[in-house]
Amino acid sequence: MTDFYDQLEVRDPAQREADLLAALPRQVAHAQSAAPAFAAILKGFDAQLVVNREALAALPVTRKTDLLARQKELRTTDAFGGFSAIARGPAMRRVFASPGTIYEPEGAAPDYWRTARALYAAGFRSGELVHNSFSYHMTPAGAILESGAHALGCSVFPGGTGQTEQQLEAMAELQPDGYVGTPSFLKILIEKAAAMNLPLPSVTKALLSGEAFPPSLRDWLAERGVRGMQCYATADLGLIAYETSAHEGLVLDEGVLLEIVRPGTGDPVPDGEVGEVVVTTFNRDYPLVRFGTGDLSAVLPGPCPSGRTNTRIKGWLGRADQTTKVRGMFVHPGQVAEVAKRFPEIARARLVVEGEMAQDRMTLKVEAPATGGLAERIAEAVREVTKLRSEVECVPTGSLPNDGKVIEDARSYR
């Protein structure tokens, strides 16, 4: 038994970056040629010039809302909206539906979503039985973890969701080596088993995803003999990052190129600043380039104490889409970013919406010097961009919270 799934996890960081950037132009070119949606989105961009992160950052971000809009537009002719590079048949094993409705293809490659790495880090090994309580109905969550378990050499019990007593009966009789699913359902299973006086001694580890996994629940599970780790994956991208035994953030998967951008824009933020997770995958079947997840996170400094050398992120810190309705008008994070870009003096900006319902007031807080009538000029720009009046408050550099919020809704709804 080794500590690492493969040697990719312990590459020199400079070598990993060089490997990813070397593959990037080919993947961008493939997306342009094989996926009609990206032929349109990336029209006019020379893939051969996308050889570094600066060139990548010049490409547009495609968000889930864009994907859904294109799918809806082409629903009668192409349910995937031109994003899939494979067609129905042997190359496309299954099709899934996520809320929206967004359709996702599953290609034929083993471990299509690359989750074996996360399972291995959580302690699962070949020859074990995995109790999978992710959904197997329409959505891909069950298949995402099952494919990784199979690639690892594990057997899988497809428990799915619900039917708590039947799942507990199977656990008691089959004695699985571990659980995968949401943390809340695992807690329900353990509590129900205790109420039924049903021991589950074999379940000593769990890979959890799909919702927040707070330290309090981690400790609760540990007190009952279950070591829980989490992973971050989506139906579109597969595995993005996973937890290790160090329990210090999530280590990026080896098959993704991640950026953290300012919400509402495609502009990368400095390491450590909270922003939206944007991912480029090297999946040839579903080649998503600069796909905005809508999730907030931040890059952690330094290497993982487990010995893995890839970048770490903090994990899920909330949602990036902070669109807010003010006095009957929608205000978007991108509009705040547009105002900030007009003034080089602004380091960071945060729009705070306050007041009782129907008596909204906006204050744009900017990290900028309060000199030369800057606040008045910024206020004019806010009105021009949003069609709404706003106060402007200049605050010291570094004083705005590092939580990824571009728009803070602080109104009272009582």
Side-chain angles (χ1 to χ4, degrees):
M1 184 181 297
T2 63
D3 291 331
F4 308 110
Y5 180 66
D6 58 27
Q7 291 304 301
L8 294 177
E9 295 182 355
V10 292
R11 278 182 290 179
D12 180 89
Q15 185 60 54
R16 176 183 293 106
E17 182 76 355
D19 292 343
L20 289 172
L21 293 178
L24 186 58
R26 295 193 298 272
Q27 184 67 357
V28 173
H30 174 68
Q32 289 174 315
S33 63
F38 278 110
I41 293 168
L42 301 177
K43 185 177 181 180
F45 290 96
D46 185 347
Q48 301 311 311
L49 299 180
V50 187
V51 295
N52 52 44
R53 287 182 177 266
E54 292 74 21
L56 178 63
L59 304 182
V61 172
T62 298
R63 293 184 166 85
K64 196 175 286 283
T65 51
D66 303 319
L67 191 154
L68 176 58
R70 286 178 178 268
Q71 286 200 359
K72 285 185 173 179
E73 181 183 355
L74 300 176
R75 196 68 92 199
T76 58
T77 57
D78 182 357
F80 302 108
F83 287 95
S84 177
I86 54 176
R88 298 177 184 181
M92 187 184 294
R93 294 178 59 183
R94 285 179 286 195
V95 175
F96 295 99
S98 293
T101 299
I102 295 176
Y103 295 106
E104 297 107 0
E106 178 190 9
D111 195 14
Y112 178 75
W113 285 279
R114 309 178 313 283
T115 53
R117 188 179 304 281
L119 286 159
Y120 193 91
F124 290 88
R125 296 294 183 268
S126 179
E128 295 183 335
L129 176 63
V130 177
H131 186 100
N132 187 356
S133 282
F134 278 117
S135 174
Y136 277 81
H137 178 63
M138 297 183 72
T139 62
I144 287 174
L145 270 298
E146 180 174 288
S147 64
H150 287 164
L152 201 56
C154 296
S155 299
V156 176
F157 178 79
T161 57
Q163 298 179 300
T164 305
E165 292 188 6
Q166 291 93 324
Q167 294 212 39
L168 286 173
E169 181 182 358
M171 283 181 158
E173 296 178 349
L174 292 173
Q175 296 289 298
D177 298 278
Y179 164 97
V180 300
T182 63
S184 61
F185 190 61
L186 177 57
K187 185 173 187 289
I188 289 171
L189 288 170
I190 292 174
E191 289 176 332
K192 183 68 172 179
M196 297 170 60
N197 196 28
L198 185 68
L200 299 175
S202 70
V203 182
T204 59
K205 56 198 172 194
L207 180 62
L208 308 163
S209 193
E211 59 190 28
F213 182 40
S216 58
L217 183 51
R218 182 195 305 281
D219 294 343
W220 187 90
L221 291 174
E223 290 168 1
R224 288 153 181 81
V226 181
R227 181 187 63 192
M229 294 193 195
Q230 59 184 316
C231 71
Y232 172 29
T234 73
D236 321 277
L237 299 163
L239 182 67
I240 298 172
Y242 59 98
E243 192 172 16
T244 74
S245 57
H247 300 300
E248 294 186 15
L250 305 182
V251 176
L252 293 186
D253 177 53
E254 298 296 325
V256 301
L257 198 161
L258 177 139
E259 304 166 89
I260 304 291
V261 308
R262 188 158 287 111
T265 77
D267 303 332
V269 299
D271 285 356
E273 184 172 329
V274 176
E276 182 183 5
V277 174
V278 170
V279 175
T280 297
T281 72
F282 296 87
N283 181 341
R284 304 287 286 181
D285 298 338
Y286 204 46
L288 298 178
V289 176
R290 296 204 87 201
F291 187 76
T293 64
D295 296 324
L296 294 174
S297 193
V299 170
L300 287 170
C304 180
S306 71
R308 293 170 177 84
T309 58
N310 209 341
T311 301
R312 295 177 301 147
I313 59 175
K314 286 186 176 181
W316 187 81
L317 299 177
R319 293 293 294 170
D321 184 7
Q322 300 150 29
T323 298
T324 304
K325 204 168 191 178
V326 182
R327 297 196 291 274
M329 300 278 287
F330 283 107
V331 181
H332 306 274
Q335 292 175 306
V336 178
E338 182 180 342
V339 171
K341 283 183 177 179
R342 295 186 181 189
F343 301 91
E345 301 94 329
I346 297 178
R348 295 171 65 202
R350 182 186 186 99
L351 185 69
V352 180
V353 184
E354 299 173 291
E356 303 293 329
M357 289 300 291
Q359 297 181 358
D360 307 324
R361 62 181 183 274
M362 301 196 314
T363 303
L364 182 65
K365 297 184 178 183
V366 295
E367 293 183 359
T371 57
L374 179 63
E376 290 78 8
R377 289 186 286 122
I378 294 173
E380 291 176 7
V382 173
R383 187 175 183 185
E384 179 184 335
V385 172
T386 68
K387 313 305 179 189
L388 294 166
R389 293 180 182 274
S390 175
E391 297 295 319
V392 174
E393 179 183 345
C394 295
V395 300
T397 299
S399 62
L400 292 179
N402 180 24
D403 57 7
K405 283 189 178 180
V406 176
I407 301 176
E408 177 186 351
D409 190 346
R411 289 173 290 191
S412 172
Y413 291 92
R414 291 176 296 177

